[in-house]
Amino acid sequence: GAGVSQSPSNKVTEKGKDVELRCDPISGHTALYWYRQSLGQGLEFLIYFQGNSAPDKSGLPSDRFSAERTGGSVSTLTIQRTQQEDSAVYLCASSLDRGQSNEQFFGPGTRLTVL
Amino acid sequence: GENVEQHPSTLSVQEGDSAVIKCTYSDSASNYFPWYKQELGKGPQLIIDIRSNVGEKKDQRIAVTLNKTAKHFSLHITETQPEDSAVYFCAASISIKAAGNKLTFGGGTRVLVKP
């Protein structure tokens, strides 16, 4: 079946502009995660959604970052007033988070470049 | 919070040889340890995972070992093939039902298998 999809695949923006990144999780997956991967680095947790529970925002680096998940499915990560240090690949993952099933399935990511 | 260190950062092996990647973690409460493989331009893909109640797990040419006392775990790839060339990430989390599975990733190991 279809995996996690993300759009756009690439985004180039100017410093100070706002950007929106979209994630479509695997159908039926209740958990959705956003991670950031800076060049040559490991992945850094940003935010987690589970069903109708309040999201875990503990990884968001500043108040310029926000995310929402509408209808328990699609999620949008918004970065306001982008800075050059926001340049990275933003990865979305979804999982069932049921019983012993913890596997997170990742999308291909959105490469964000802030000029 | 959790901190995961991964070594080496790069690993070059001859086809057919074994590759070993090691990770250490800091939080003794961590109980879930997945390994991900990331190919160029793609999101990470789970290749094997282990839970803290198990010391070793194998899947064909891949094995993972966990030493809870020393807080380290390792990935072993035997009979390496050119298609094993990729970046490998270890991760750790405290997996609690209904509380999410925030992964803390190591910095990654770039593996090159030379034919």
Side-chain angles (χ1 to χ4, degrees):
Chain A
V4 177
S5 61
Q6 293 186 245
S7 61
S9 55
N10 281 283
K11 176 72 176 179
V12 180
T13 190
E14 293 180 348
K15 177 182 174 180
K17 295 287 181 67
D18 297 351
V19 295
E20 285 190 353
L21 313 179
R22 177 187 168 105
C23 172
D24 282 86
I26 293 172
S27 177
H29 280 192
T30 56
L32 187 148
Y33 303 79
W34 282 97
Y35 294 88
R36 177 169 69 175
Q37 185 174 28
S38 300
L39 186 63
Q41 304 281 322
L43 285 74
E44 172 192 16
F45 167 79
L46 296 177
I47 188 169
Y48 157 70
F49 296 90
Q50 171 61 283
N52 295 321
S53 302
D56 180 341
K57 305 178 182 180
S58 59
L60 294 179
S62 78
D63 58 8
R64 296 186 294 105
F65 288 71
S66 63
E68 64 177 19
R69 189 179 185 192
T70 54
S73 180
V74 172
S75 177
T76 302
L77 176 69
T78 300
I79 308 173
Q80 296 178 309
R81 305 181 301 282
T82 51
Q83 303 294 312
Q84 288 182 333
E85 59 263 30
D86 299 335
S87 296
V89 176
Y90 289 83
L91 290 156
C92 173
S94 70
S95 74
L96 281 170
D97 264 9
R98 179 183 304 158
Q100 290 296 299
S101 177
N102 292 115
E103 180 177 357
Q104 294 184 25
F105 295 82
F106 283 83
T110 293
R111 180 175 297 278
L112 174 66
T113 303
V114 182
L115 301 177
Chain B
E2 175 67 276
N3 182 52
V4 178
E5 299 285 339
Q6 182 172 348
H7 299 281
S9 57
T10 60
L11 180 59
S12 182
V13 297
Q14 206 65 39
E15 182 178 0
D17 288 349
S18 295
V20 180
I21 304 171
K22 299 182 178 181
C23 290
T24 60
Y25 61 98
S26 61
D27 191 339
S28 57
S30 289
N31 59 3
Y32 176 65
F33 307 91
W35 286 87
Y36 283 85
K37 176 183 181 182
Q38 186 175 30
E39 297 177 334
L40 195 61
K42 298 183 179 180
Q45 182 178 9
L46 181 73
I47 55 172
I48 195 168
D49 57 12
I50 191 168
R51 297 183 183 278
S52 58
N53 58 347
V54 176
E56 183 176 3
K57 184 176 179 180
K58 290 183 180 180
D59 183 4
Q60 299 183 346
R61 296 185 297 108
I62 294 173
V64 58
T65 59
L66 171 65
N67 183 328
K68 287 188 294 182
T69 303
K71 291 190 283 189
H72 66 70
F73 55 115
S74 301
L75 178 72
H76 304 252
I77 307 173
T78 58
E79 301 172 17
T80 53
Q81 302 168 4
E83 52 264 37
D84 295 329
S85 296
V87 180
Y88 292 80
F89 292 97
C90 62
S93 75
I94 302 171
S95 178
I96 303 172
K97 184 176 172 60
N101 188 26
K102 295 182 293 185
L103 296 173
T104 300
F105 284 84
T109 297
R110 184 173 300 277
V111 174
L112 175 63
V113 180
K114 296 180 288 185

